[in-house]
Amino acid sequence: MRRLKTIDVVTIALAAAIVCILAPVSITLGFTPIPITLGLFAVVMAGVILGSRNGTLCIFIYILIGAVGLPVFSGYSGGIVKVAGPSGGYLWGYLFLAWFTGFFVERFAGKWYMAVLGALIGTVACYMFGTVWMAVQLSMGPMEALWAGVIPFIPFDLMKIVLASVSCCPVRSMLIQQNLISVKK
């Protein structure tokens, strides 16, 4: 297993800070416990820029920061109740999203549309994990859970995925050229 270099630790910490700044921005909808947030955008950004391993580690750190009570989750909330609550499955699902996005970025360097594909696959995994989690906690049927936690968000999430992929692929390339992020050899 490859050890983290100092520059990796710094970039992971900076990316986690950016996720903590962006993710709480949210719009609450009246018909679901899940708000529209910039969290998905931030997670895709972390996966694109940092890659699979470091992007996933970044999101894990973000979840830990929120779990200890800092207000980094939707609506500037935090705490173990949020991580374990009905929307907690979507937070844990962010790990899949970051990993799949980073995996595709690493395998298809410089191709923003492959970052989009990886983010779409990761979003489906996140949706599945979060929907099952929410359905179990709130005693919902599968369709009710999909309508509460997935279907209303698809258009917004598609926009966030494309925007994050298109804007962050050039950032990743620049950071690689400057030796500010490590890449798998």
Side-chain angles (χ1 to χ4, degrees):
M1 183 154 161
R2 185 172 62 91
R3 294 180 58 135
L4 288 175
K5 297 177 184 175
T6 303
I7 195 69
D8 292 329
V9 172
V10 171
T11 55
I12 291 167
L14 286 172
I18 292 169
V19 173
C20 288
I21 291 167
L22 292 176
V25 178
S26 63
I27 299 170
T28 304
L29 305 174
F31 59 91
T32 176
I34 312 300
I36 296 172
T37 73
L38 289 179
L40 188 127
F41 176 87
V43 174
V44 173
M45 175 207 70
V48 169
I49 293 173
L50 299 176
S52 60
R53 177 182 155 207
N54 290 355
T56 304
L57 184 55
C58 168
I59 300 309
F60 184 72
I61 290 167
Y62 157 72
I63 293 169
L64 289 179
I65 289 169
V68 298
L70 291 171
V72 297
F73 298 142
S74 63
Y76 298 94
S77 60
I80 198 71
V81 172
K82 189 76 170 179
V83 174
S87 63
Y90 295 104
L91 291 170
W92 291 109
Y94 281 168
L95 296 170
F96 299 111
L97 175 56
W99 189 87
F100 277 108
T101 303
F103 178 82
F104 274 72
V105 165
E106 291 166 347
R107 298 306 180 273
F108 304 99
K111 296 183 172 130
W112 67 267
Y113 51 90
M114 295 307 288
V116 169
L117 179 61
L120 287 172
I121 293 168
T123 300
V124 169
C126 179
Y127 281 167
M128 289 172 34
F129 192 81
T131 302
V132 169
W133 182 295
M134 183 175 64
V136 168
Q137 288 211 359
L138 298 178
S139 301
M140 297 175 140
M143 286 311 296
E144 185 182 9
L146 283 172
W147 277 102
V150 175
I151 294 170
F153 303 96
I154 292 173
F156 301 106
D157 289 349
L158 289 173
M159 287 189 291
K160 291 183 263 186
I161 287 168
V162 171
L163 285 171
S165 298
V166 169
S167 63
C168 292
C169 278
V171 173
R172 177 179 172 80
S173 296
M174 187 226 20
L175 292 174
I176 290 170
Q177 288 174 349
Q178 299 296 319
N179 292 319
L180 293 175
I181 59 172
S182 301
V183 293
K184 289 183 179 179
K185 303 255 182 198

